[in-house]
């Protein structure tokens, strides 16, 4: 059985929190392969008009170039129309593999209202990673996870890692304000953002 991880997001831009989360996910779920999948037109979030999907993809490739076992995939970007997680899981599923889906707090709380949640729970094991800024949501998350367990009969696993306090929003705001993003995103991503004048 291959253990395959899936980590999706807007990644506009990908930052150190994403990289650390991906590494902890690989280690703690004993993944053979991790697919990092930037969304195409995401149904969960308004898109950032100025940065193209190809640029978000490129930044992910740069961020994960040195992380063994990571495949940065353009499968959701290539797909026409909105990206639905259930379609991605379906595309990656197979008899020889077990799928694990990494979700942050925001995503975990809304999972029950995505397209075909019962199918999502059939196709994968959701894995939860907490962000430090989400402390206020701890109780809500515990309740939600218990609710999913009851409704879908599947246990949500949990990654334990030292959270890195950074968001893409913060990175974009700092760039717009002319502040340094050093240490918040991988160096190669910072260089790419600067060379291409992104998020100004
Ligand atoms: P934005 O600030 O634009 O909302 P974001 O930083 O939340 O962006 P996304 O691309 O939306 O980045 O995140 C993809 C996934 O990674 C989500 O499941 C999110 O919860 C998770 N995530 C984002 N930042 C971190 C972090 N610092 N630590 C752990 N998980 C994170």
């Amino acid at each position: 059985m291959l253990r395959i991880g899936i980590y999706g997001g807007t990644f506009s831009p990908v930052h150190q929190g994403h990289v650390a989360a991906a590494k902890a996910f690989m280690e703690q779920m004993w993944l053979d392969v991790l697919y990092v999948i930037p969304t195409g037109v995401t149904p969960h979030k308004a898109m950032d008009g100025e940065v193209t999907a190809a640029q978000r993809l490129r930044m992910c490739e740069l961020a994960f170039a040195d992380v063994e076992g990571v495949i940065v995939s353009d499968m959701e970007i290539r797909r026409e129309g909105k990206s639905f997680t259930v379609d991605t899981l379906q595309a990656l599923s197979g008899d020889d593999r077990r799928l694990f889906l990494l979700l942050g707090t925001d995503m975990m709380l809304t999972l029950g209202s995505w397209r075909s949640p019962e199918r999502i729970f059939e196709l994968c094991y959701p894995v939860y990673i907490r962000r430090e800024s989400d402390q206020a949501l701890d109780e809500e998350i515990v309740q939600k996870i218990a609710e999913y367990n009851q409704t879908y009969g599947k246990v949500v696993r949990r990654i334990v890692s030292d959270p890195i306090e950074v968001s893409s929003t913060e990175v974009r705001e700092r760039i717009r304000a002319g502040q340094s993003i050093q240490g918040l995103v991988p160096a190669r991503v910072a260089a790419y953002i600067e060379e291409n004048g992104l998020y100004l």
Side-chain angles (χ1 to χ4, degrees), residues 7-12 15 17-18 21 45 102-107 129-131 164 166-169 172:
Y7 188 21
T10 315
F11 301 123
S12 188
H15 55 64
H18 295 134
K45 248 186 201 179
L102 187 65
L103 299 164
T105 308
D106 43 352
M107 298 291 145
I129 184 155
R130 179 178 177 279
R131 292 164 82 162
I164 297 192
V166 54
S167 69
S168 298
T169 303
R172 293 193 303 269

Side-chain angles (χ1 to χ4, degrees), residues 45-169:
K45 248 186 201 179
M47 283 304 297
D48 198 303
E50 293 166 41
V51 171
T52 66
Q55 287 171 324
R56 289 186 292 114
L57 180 75
R58 184 70 194 128
M59 289 189 278
C60 286
E61 287 169 354
L62 293 169
F64 290 102
D66 295 337
V67 188
E68 211 180 313
V70 170
I71 297 175
V72 176
S73 165
D74 65 356
M75 62 186 290
E76 291 199 358
I77 287 172
R78 269 189 290 113
R79 200 182 295 150
E80 303 250 316
K82 290 182 176 180
S83 302
F84 289 104
T85 299
V86 67
D87 299 332
T88 302
L89 291 170
Q90 191 69 56
L92 291 173
S93 68
D95 291 341
D96 61 337
R97 50 189 55 195
R98 187 167 291 173
L99 303 184
F100 298 85
L101 177 69
L102 187 65
L103 299 164
T105 308
D106 43 352
M107 298 291 145
M108 188 54 83
L109 286 174
T110 59
L111 177 59
S113 60
W114 294 8
R115 174 173 286 190
S116 314
E118 56 302 309
R119 186 72 184 131
I120 291 178
F121 274 87
E122 269 169 34
L123 286 166
C124 75
Y125 294 90
V127 176
Y128 169 57
I129 184 155
R130 179 178 177 279
R131 292 164 82 162
E132 196 50 50
S133 54
D134 301 330
Q135 224 159 10
L137 295 169
D138 275 356
E139 220 171 285
E140 211 179 315
I141 273 284
V142 168
Q143 267 178 19
K144 218 15 144 189
I145 286 177
E147 188 187 307
Y148 293 150
N149 193 352
Q150 266 200 331
T151 312
Y152 307 111
K154 222 167 200 178
V155 174
V156 172
R157 291 145 200 246
R158 209 174 170 139
I159 294 288
V160 186
S161 76
D162 287 335
I164 297 192
E165 213 21 70
V166 54
S167 69
S168 298
T169 303

